[in-house]
Amino acid sequence: MNKTLLASMIAAALSVAPIAQANDMQTELSLLKQRIAQLESQLSDTMAVQAEHQKSASVDSDNPITISGSAEFLATGSELPDGSSESDLDVDSVELTIDAALNQYMALSTTLKYEDDGEDQDFFVDEAIVTISSDDTPWSLVAGRTAVPFAVVNGNAWTDPLTYDLTDNTDDLLYVGFNQGIFSAGGYAFKGQSDESNINNLGLNVALAFDNGFAIGAGYLNNIRNTDPLDADSLTDDDKVGASRINLSYELDALALSAEYLQTESFKELAGRPEITVWHLSADYATNIFGAPGNLSLGYSESDDADLITDAGDNLFAQSRLTLGASRELHENAELIVEYVREEDYANDDTDTLNLVLSTSF
């Protein structure tokens, strides 16, 4: 009888043991899942904190600086109106740009530049600006030394159009911009070349850029004679001379078209033809050239009544300028440009120039 009872108790214990083991395993699995979920949550929080720290560190780190640069090497040959010819080899320009993110709202950019202009051969400060902006607002502010943003030079021609010749100027300025949707606008004040004790040289730009590739803009400058090209001995009056601009552009796939028209108000000392106008048309087509990405460009610009502006007896502006060019990438960070330029002066004499440019950047 004792043996029978013992056997029954053993059998019962054996039948209950798997159930108890199964219950214990499910409990352990449940606890393990809870622990894994807790660890995943902690890891997610830790990674979020690290990502935010890295984002902040990318702005506030000890080395928020990027350095870039470019250099252009030029071989050129020209046929002059008298039948003679000229040729030259130049390091045409070298630029070194340093950009620094000061914080999440402010960025600093400084560009040192060398140009082969026959004068000093040292680097000079071509641009030094601080930009204040935020993703949360359409407003921005730029202060420092940079190009006066009056002309809008579109197109990929290596030689600048006559619109650039009329308005080229780098100066100390303050620019306030607004950009939202298709609309953008900006107003600016700059020092100018005069000896005035007050900063009263002002400009205004407005533009609309549509999703279909069409854009239109306009600008006004209250005193264009304070730009470098109009610092001529034939202009002796100190009165302000305003200028206005309208520009159009259109992009469709690989084709880009642009047009610009500039007109000054009256220069009193230019009797009979006191107003100067300059306009420019350009077309660019991106395509493969000999198996590499490249671009074909065509540009034409013309000035009217600019022959009266002289310095030391020489005309400062051509009457027309035609450019025809092709560029091709040379692997990464290098480009070869071939360009033909025909320039006609106000005596109807032509100068033909062929430019071969190796443009490099990093």
Side-chain angles (χ1 to χ4, degrees), residues 74-120:
L74 170 66
T76 183
S78 300
E79 183 177 343
L80 305 180
D82 60 4
S84 62
S85 61
E86 293 180 349
S87 59
D88 202 357
L89 292 171
D90 289 313
V91 178
D92 188 71
S93 66
V94 179
E95 291 187 0
L96 181 64
T97 299
I98 304 172
D99 295 305
L102 305 180
N103 52 54
Q104 60 181 324
Y105 301 111
M106 301 176 65
L108 178 67
S109 179
T110 302
T111 298
L112 304 178
K113 187 174 184 178
Y114 159 86
E115 275 186 325
D116 181 31
D117 58 2
E119 298 179 358
D120 295 337

Side-chain angles (χ1 to χ4, degrees), residues 149-152 186 188 202-207 216-222 242-247 260-263:
F150 178 55
V152 179
Y188 56 94
L202 308 174
L204 177 66
N205 294 325
V206 293
I216 181 172
Y220 177 76
L221 196 65
N222 76 329
S244 55
R245 180 204 81 241
I246 186 169
N247 58 283
E260 182 176 16
Y261 179 84
L262 305 176
Q263 182 171 358

Side-chain angles (χ1 to χ4, degrees), residues 78-84 300 318-322 340-353:
S78 300
E79 183 177 343
L80 305 180
D82 60 4
S84 62
Y300 181 78
Q319 186 172 26
S320 66
R321 181 177 294 159
L322 170 71
Y340 165 75
V341 182
R342 165 161 283 195
E343 192 168 276
E344 181 178 348
D345 61 23
Y346 276 90
N348 296 323
D349 292 327
D350 296 329
T351 299
D352 296 317
T353 302

Side-chain angles (χ1 to χ4, degrees), residues 55 104-105 132-140 178-180:
K55 181 179 178 181
Q104 60 181 324
Y105 301 111
I132 303 174
S133 63
S134 172
D135 294 336
D136 301 329
T137 176
W139 295 94
S140 62
F178 178 87
N179 193 328
Q180 190 168 48

